[in-house]
Amino acid sequence: MIRPSRYLGNEVNSVRKDLSRTEVSIALAFPDLYEVGMSHLGLKILYNILNSKEWLSAERVFCPWVDLEQELRRRNIPLATLESGHPLSSFDLVGFSLQHELSYTNVLNMLDLSSIPLLAEDRPDQSPLIIAGGPACFNPEPVADFFDLMVIGDGETAALEICRAVRKAKKNKKKESKKDLLHELRHIKGVYIPSFFRLHYYSDGSVKEIEPSYADYQEIKKAVLPDLDDYPYPERQIVPFAQLIHDRVSVEISRGCTRGCRFCQAGMIYRPVRERTPESIIKKAEEALKLTGYEDLSLLSLSSGDYSCIGPLLKALMDRLSSRNIGVSLPSLRMDSLNSAMMEQIKRVRKTGFTLAPEAGNDRLRRIINKGLTQNDIIETSKEVYRAGWNLIKLYFMIGLPFEEEEDLQDIIDLSKQITRLAGKKGKKDNLNVSISTFVPKAHTPFMWAPQIALEESRRRIRLIQEGLRKSRARVKWNRPELSWLEGVLARGDRKLGRVIMEAWGLGAKFDAWSEQFKKEAWEEAFIRASLKPEFYLHRERSPHETLPWDHIKSGVTKTFLKREWEKAKEENLTPDCRDKCLECGVCDHKTIDPVLHKYAMVSHSPETAIRTAPQSTKKYRLTYKKVGSAKHLGHLELVRVLVRAFKRAGLELAYSKGYHPMPRVSFFAALPVGTESMQELVDIELVEAMDVPIIKERINRELPRGIDVTLVEEISPAKKRGCISESSFLITLNGPRCEEKDLQSFLESKHFAVVKTGKKGEHEIDARPLVRAISLVSPNKLKLTVKETEGPGLKPTEILKAIFSLNDNDLLNISVLKTGQVLEPA
C-alpha cells in the first residue's frame, strides 16, 4: 500500500471524542487524498470550530487511493473516519468540501464505499444528511441531485447553525422526516436545498426557468462572515505523519480580494476583503508554531502582498521567528505588491520559492482581464528577485483568455526569454519555470459568458509556447488540456450533468484531477449515454440575457456589475481597485458588511523578540527510542519529521547548521523499513543550551504520538564521533505460513545465496549469505535473525525470509517484524 501513514489517524492535535456521548456527529469529507485535504485551511477551520462544542463531534475522512479502495471493496469494509473508525453511514451529517469540479466522481466513490445511496431522493430518513460546501458550490447544479443541502459562502456560521438544527430535531424526538428538517434548514443564510428548485429548459438545451418550490425561498444569498476575528482560529492544528502538499502552519491574514481580475472566481465570490488585525495574526502564528513544531509559516490570502500593513507585519514576524529558524512565505503575491524590503525579510531564514502570475504576455491582454501590470512592472520585479539572490522564478500564464490573438502567444515566449536573461549567465540550469494552463470561464465572473477554446486548439497553443522556449533557460510546464476541458463543462453546466457524472463514475472515472488517473474515454462515453454534448457547455458565447444555471445563487456581486465588467473587457478598459473607491458591485450593504482593512494599524516590536546571536558551543544528547504499534507504518522521512516537530513542541532549542538553508542538527543512525517495529533506535541531537536529562525525556514523550517513546537519554561529548550500527537483531513472527527446518538448513550450508531485488534502476542480485550473521527457529512460525549492516546494497529482513522459505507476497502481509536490538560500533 502506498503511504499507509495517510490512513493511520492518531496524529498530534487531532480530536478524539466518544461518539456515544456527543449529541451530533459530522464527518468532514474531503474528496481527494489526505495530503491534499490536510493542506486545505478551510477543513482545519471547520474542524476546530465544530469540535470546540462539547455536544458536537467532527471527524475527518479522505478519499482512499485506488490501492486501499480495492482492499476495502474486496473485504467489504465500509469507508470510515480517521478519529474513531466509524463508517460514514453512522454519522448524523457528512459534509463534503468541493474545492474544484474535478472532485465530483470522488464524492460518488466515497458515498458508494459507505453504502450510502448516491442520489438524495433515494436515501431513507435515517441516512446521514449529505452536505457540500466550498467554491464549486457557487454553481451547484451539476451535482445538485447528490446533496441534501449545500452551503454557499463562508462556512463558519452556517455549519454551526446546521448542526444546532440537527441537535434540536434529535432532542425533540419527533417522527420528523428529512424533508421536515430541510424545511427548517432553508431559513439559514447560505443554505441551498436543491430539491426545492426545478430547472426547466428550452428545446435547444439552455435553461428557460429556475422554479422555486416556495415563494419565500426563491434565491440563496451567500453566507458572509463580517469579521474574521469573530471566530476562533485553529492554533492547535493537526500535525500529520504524511508530508502534505503544503506542509506548514497556515494563517489566513485576509479573505477576499479587491483587485477585480475578470477571470478570477475567488476574487468575486469571496468579496468583500476582510483583514485580520496584525496583532491577531502574530499571536495566532506564534501559538500555532509552538503547538505544532512546524518550521515554516505561510501567510494566506488571495493576494498576500495587498494586506494593508504587510511590510510591518512581515518584519515583526521575522524579528520574532528568524532566531528559531522559522521561515515565512507569502504564497500568493502580485508583482506590483512586491518590493525589495519584503524580499529581504523573506530570505532572512531561507529562500522560499518565488511564484509570480503575469497571466498574459502583454499589456493589452492584461487590460482585458483587469490585471493592471505592465511589461515594465514584470521586468523590474523579476530583476529585483534575481538580484536578491533567487536563482529560480516561477511564472504563471493562461492561454485561451477572451480576445486572445496569435501575437499574444508569441508575447508570452518573448517575455519569458527576456526574464531568463535577467538572471545572468551563472550555471547552465533553468532559471525560469513557465507554467501554462487553459482558461476556464467560471460562474459569477465577468467572463462567464465567454466561450472556452477547443481541446485541440489548447494543445496547439501549448505546443507553440513549448517550441518557442525549447532552447532557452525556461522550463515549460502545463496543465493537461483534457482536464481543463472537463472542468470547463462542469464549471458552467446544469443539473442534466448529474447523469453524466454518475455514468462516468460507473465507467471508472475517479481522481479526475490526477493526470495518471484521468479517463477521458469514460467521460466521452458518459456524455453519449446521457445524450448530451460537451461542446454545448464549452464553445458557445452565452447571451447576457440568458438564464444561467446558477442565477438563483447570489454571490453578492450583481449580474449588472458583471455585465458592465464584460463590456469593459471588450473595450480594454481597467477597473480600479475597490480599496480606493467603492465600485457598487453589490456585495457591501455598508451596515453589517463592509471591507475590513487595517491600513493604519500599529504593529508592536517588543524588545524581548530581538534576534539572538548563534551559540559558541552546543550540548549533545543521544536518545534511544522505540517505535511500535501503528507507528511501524511510518517511513523514515516521516519519522524524522515526527521527532523533529516533537522536539520543537517540547521547547528544546535545537542547534542549526549554517548556510542558505539551515537544518536542525539531528542525526539518525539507521532507516527502519516501513512496517517494522523496533525496541531500540538511536538519534543524536544538539541543543544550544544544557538541559537536565530527565526533563528532556519527559518533555519529548509528552509530545510524541502513541507508539513512539523515548526510553533513554544520555549526554555525550559534542566532540564524540557518531559511530555506526554494525548489526541488528529481529524477532519475526509468521501469522500463517510456516518455516521449514530443511529450508533454513539449506541456507545455512550455502556459501552464496542469491536474492533478486527490484529497485528504481531495475533488478539486481544481492548475496544474502554474508549479510546474515545468525538465524534460528524459535518455533515453526517464529524465528530470530541477526543481520549485518553494510555500506553496500542491503536486504530487508522480510526480503531475506521470502527468499529462504519461498514465500509469496501474500505471505509477507502476515509477517510481524520486531527489531529487538542493535550493536553500535564506536567510530
Side-chain angles (χ1 to χ4, degrees):
M1 185 184 295
I2 301 173
R3 295 194 187 178
S5 56
R6 294 168 172 163
Y7 312 112
L8 294 181
N10 188 40
E11 310 102 314
V12 170
N13 294 336
S14 59
V15 179
R16 290 175 292 279
K17 295 183 179 181
D18 184 350
L19 293 185
S20 65
R21 295 176 179 272
T22 55
E23 298 173 64
V24 177
S25 61
I26 179 170
L28 298 176
F30 200 96
D32 209 324
L33 284 182
Y34 177 95
E35 297 96 294
V36 178
M38 283 304 299
S39 297
H40 180 57
L41 183 59
L43 178 69
K44 299 175 185 178
I45 290 174
L46 285 180
Y47 185 83
N48 180 61
I49 288 173
L50 297 174
N51 276 316
S52 68
K53 306 299 178 184
E54 289 185 8
W55 53 271
L56 178 56
S57 177
E59 301 190 354
R60 298 161 297 139
V61 63
F62 302 89
C63 194
W65 191 244
V66 290
D67 54 356
L68 180 61
E69 182 197 338
Q70 290 170 358
E71 283 299 302
L72 293 177
R73 293 191 185 280
R74 186 176 69 85
R75 302 185 187 189
N76 198 29
I77 299 173
L79 184 62
T81 57
L82 291 179
E83 280 77 4
S84 68
H86 280 69
L88 302 196
S89 57
S90 66
F91 284 79
D92 296 312
L93 309 99
V94 178
F96 283 91
S97 176
L98 301 184
Q99 294 303 304
H100 57 80
E101 294 81 3
L102 300 186
S103 65
Y104 292 163
T105 51
N106 280 3
V107 171
L108 300 191
N109 213 38
M110 293 173 75
L111 290 174
D112 186 64
L113 283 167
S114 309
S115 298
I116 297 173
L118 305 185
L119 295 172
E121 64 181 11
D122 294 340
R123 294 183 203 122
D125 284 350
Q126 62 269 28
S127 182
L129 275 180
I130 308 300
I131 304 174
C137 292
F138 278 84
N139 177 18
E141 292 312 306
V143 287
D145 289 336
F146 308 131
F147 292 100
D148 296 304
L149 62 96
M150 306 173 90
V151 175
I152 313 298
D154 297 332
E156 286 94 335
T157 56
L160 267 179
E161 288 189 61
I162 291 167
C163 290
R164 287 190 182 103
V166 171
R167 181 192 191 194
K168 182 180 178 183
K170 290 180 72 174
K171 274 185 174 179
N172 290 341
K173 296 181 180 179
K174 295 178 181 176
K175 295 288 184 179
E176 217 174 47
S177 68
K178 184 174 290 186
K179 190 171 183 179
D180 293 331
L181 178 57
L182 293 176
H183 272 288
E184 293 296 320
L185 294 172
R186 72 187 171 98
H187 298 297
I188 298 173
K189 188 173 183 179
V191 167
Y192 172 49
I193 300 169
S195 60
F196 290 178
F197 290 83
R198 291 181 60 199
L199 272 65
H200 301 280
Y201 299 90
Y202 288 109
S203 58
D204 67 354
S206 60
V207 176
K208 178 181 181 181
E209 179 191 8
I210 301 170
E211 180 189 4
S213 299
Y214 303 97
D216 63 344
Y217 190 61
Q218 298 191 34
E219 58 183 31
I220 287 73
K221 294 180 180 178
K222 75 172 181 182
V224 181
L225 184 60
D227 190 332
L228 299 187
D229 284 321
D230 282 348
Y231 274 79
Y233 192 81
E235 295 170 353
R236 194 177 291 277
Q237 296 181 17
I238 294 173
V239 186
F241 300 126
Q243 184 169 11
L244 305 183
I245 302 298
H246 303 296
D247 205 15
R248 56 184 75 103
V249 161
S250 297
V251 174
E252 183 187 32
I253 62 174
S254 69
R255 191 177 301 178
C257 181
T258 58
R259 296 284 188 161
C261 296
R262 293 172 181 136
F263 61 84
C264 181
Q265 186 186 54
M268 297 293 166
I269 64 175
Y270 289 123
R271 292 186 176 202
V273 65
R274 289 146 289 162
E275 296 180 347
R276 294 188 189 276
T277 64
E279 293 302 327
S280 167
I281 293 168
I282 292 169
K283 177 181 176 298
K284 288 170 171 54
E286 289 197 299
E287 192 65 18
L289 288 163
K290 176 183 173 183
L291 293 170
T292 61
Y294 273 108
E295 296 180 316
D296 292 284
L297 169 67
S298 180
L299 303 181
L300 288 187
S301 168
L302 288 175
S303 181
S304 302
D306 285 341
Y307 182 82
S308 294
C309 52
I310 188 64
L313 172 65
L314 190 56
K315 185 178 187 307
L317 283 168
M318 293 307 301
D319 285 350
R320 287 165 164 81
L321 304 177
S322 60
S323 63
R324 288 145 55 190
N325 288 283
I326 293 171
V328 179
S329 63
L330 287 77
S332 181
L333 278 172
R334 285 180 58 102
M335 283 185 160
D336 50 355
S337 67
L338 187 63
N339 57 52
S340 57
M342 288 170 62
M343 283 185 256
E344 289 301 315
Q345 292 298 328
I346 292 169
K347 72 177 187 178
R348 278 170 64 176
V349 172
R350 64 184 70 91
K351 292 191 183 79
T352 52
F354 243 112
T355 301
L356 304 168
E359 313 293 0
N362 58 47
D363 294 351
R364 181 192 74 86
L365 203 49
R366 282 190 291 272
R367 287 195 300 273
I368 288 172
I369 65 177
N370 201 44
K371 192 153 190 139
L373 282 172
T374 65
Q375 297 293 90
N376 187 60
D377 292 333
I378 296 167
I379 296 298
E380 289 302 314
T381 300
S382 301
K383 193 182 298 182
E384 285 287 334
V385 172
Y386 286 130
R387 188 182 296 146
W390 274 265
N391 298 318
L392 181 69
I393 296 176
K394 300 176 185 178
L395 293 185
Y396 278 98
F397 293 99
M398 284 189 286
I399 57 169
L401 286 163
F403 316 113
E404 182 178 74
E405 299 170 357
E406 199 73 7
E407 295 80 11
D408 300 320
L409 302 174
Q410 185 60 47
D411 286 338
I412 291 176
I413 298 169
D414 294 343
L415 177 61
S416 299
K417 285 182 176 179
Q418 193 173 352
I419 291 174
T420 62
R421 291 192 287 269
L422 297 174
K425 298 182 179 180
K426 293 180 289 184
K428 295 183 179 180
K429 291 185 178 180
D430 296 335
N431 54 35
L432 183 70
N433 281 348
V434 174
S435 183
I436 308 293
S437 62
T438 303
F439 166 67
V440 176
K442 290 292 182 92
H444 303 282
T445 70
F447 287 169
M448 64 186 178
W449 292 284
Q452 184 171 330
I453 60 172
L455 180 56
E456 190 49 52
E457 177 60 17
S458 180
R459 292 177 180 141
R460 184 193 72 81
R461 297 187 192 191
I462 291 171
R463 283 196 301 268
L464 188 150
I465 295 170
Q466 188 182 15
E467 287 295 325
L469 292 173
R470 188 173 295 281
K471 294 182 180 180
S472 72
R473 292 177 66 187
R475 182 183 178 190
V476 181
K477 301 179 179 180
W478 60 92
N479 291 346
R480 282 185 63 185
E482 294 83 358
L483 304 187
S484 300
W485 166 81
L486 178 59
E487 183 184 352
V489 174
L490 298 176
R492 296 189 303 165
D494 52 47
R495 203 172 289 198
K496 289 183 289 187
L497 288 178
R499 184 185 167 191
V500 177
I501 295 167
M502 282 190 70
E503 293 284 0
W505 170 76
L507 291 165
K510 66 189 76 165
F511 286 105
D512 295 304
W514 294 75
S515 294
E516 68 270 29
Q517 292 295 319
F518 182 65
K519 297 179 176 67
K520 185 169 184 285
E521 66 281 359
W523 284 96
E524 290 171 329
E525 176 62 24
F527 278 107
I528 292 171
R529 292 187 182 185
S531 301
L532 292 173
K533 294 182 178 180
E535 296 78 16
F536 173 78
Y537 298 99
L538 281 177
H539 303 324
R540 65 186 183 91
E541 181 174 333
R542 304 193 184 191
S543 164
H545 307 293
E546 180 178 336
T547 298
L548 300 172
W550 52 87
D551 273 352
H552 54 315
I553 305 297
K554 303 302 179 182
S555 70
V557 180
T558 64
K559 209 170 180 181
T560 300
F561 175 80
L562 297 176
K563 286 177 182 176
R564 192 162 68 240
E565 286 296 295
W566 177 228
E567 292 303 318
K568 290 179 77 172
K570 295 176 183 178
E571 297 164 3
E572 301 178 19
N573 287 338
L574 290 169
T575 296
D577 189 320
C578 76
R579 286 173 184 259
D580 305 320
K581 177 185 177 183
C582 180
L583 303 175
E584 303 296 335
C585 72
V587 168
C588 299
D589 59 14
H590 305 299
K591 296 176 182 176
T592 58
I593 301 173
D594 250 328
V596 178
L597 304 171
H598 297 291
K599 189 173 182 179
Y600 303 107
M602 298 296 293
V603 183
S604 63
H605 296 270
S606 53
E608 63 268 19
T609 61
I611 301 172
R612 288 168 296 188
T613 57
Q616 297 297 312
S617 62
T618 60
K619 294 294 181 180
K620 196 171 185 179
Y621 300 87
R622 178 160 294 162
L623 278 56
T624 303
Y625 64 94
K626 63 181 182 179
K627 182 182 120 175
V628 296
S630 62
K632 71 180 181 180
H633 297 296
L634 300 180
H636 180 65
L637 292 179
E638 292 170 335
L639 178 66
V640 170
R641 286 194 297 271
V642 166
L643 287 171
V644 171
R645 289 168 183 170
F647 299 156
K648 293 175 77 68
R649 289 194 304 275
L652 306 188
E653 295 200 47
L654 296 169
Y656 276 75
S657 63
K658 297 179 181 179
Y660 284 111
H661 197 90
M663 299 295 291
R665 291 181 183 171
V666 176
S667 179
F668 289 80
F669 283 75
L672 200 65
V674 175
T676 300
E677 295 180 289
S678 178
M679 299 302 293
Q680 187 181 13
E681 294 297 304
L682 298 176
V683 59
D684 287 351
I685 65 173
E686 287 188 53
L687 304 182
V688 298
E689 57 184 28
M691 290 182 67
D692 290 339
V693 164
I695 293 176
I696 293 176
K697 181 182 175 183
E698 189 274 330
R699 281 193 185 180
I700 294 174
N701 280 334
R702 196 168 55 206
E703 299 298 335
L704 287 171
R706 188 168 59 245
I708 303 176
D709 289 286
V710 173
T711 56
L712 179 67
V713 178
E714 306 168 272
E715 183 175 354
I716 58 177
S717 168
K720 185 176 182 179
K721 300 284 187 174
R722 193 182 73 151
C724 62
I725 305 295
S726 62
E727 61 182 55
S728 299
S729 299
F730 300 90
L731 179 64
I732 303 173
T733 305
L734 292 83
N735 302 308
R738 296 168 64 87
C739 298
E740 298 292 339
E741 183 73 45
K742 60 180 178 63
D743 293 331
L744 179 58
Q745 197 62 36
S746 175
F747 172 78
L748 290 172
E749 292 173 357
S750 66
K751 293 184 179 179
H752 179 86
F753 196 90
V755 176
V756 176
K757 183 167 182 171
T758 303
K760 293 181 179 178
K761 297 182 179 180
E763 292 185 346
H764 59 282
E765 193 176 277
I766 298 176
D767 184 4
R769 190 63 192 88
L771 298 178
V772 177
R773 183 181 174 279
I775 183 170
S776 62
L777 284 174
V778 177
S779 68
N781 68 336
K782 187 174 291 189
L783 53 85
K784 292 180 178 179
L785 172 67
T786 300
V787 179
K788 296 177 184 177
E789 302 289 348
T790 63
E791 292 185 3
L795 291 168
K796 298 176 183 178
T798 51
E799 292 170 333
I800 295 172
L801 258 66
K802 181 181 180 182
I804 294 174
F805 298 107
S806 302
L807 305 176
N808 59 43
D809 290 339
N810 285 332
D811 292 332
L812 296 184
L813 296 175
N814 297 310
I815 290 180
S816 300
V817 182
L818 173 65
K819 183 176 175 181
T820 54
Q822 57 192 4
V823 175
L824 178 63
E825 293 286 347

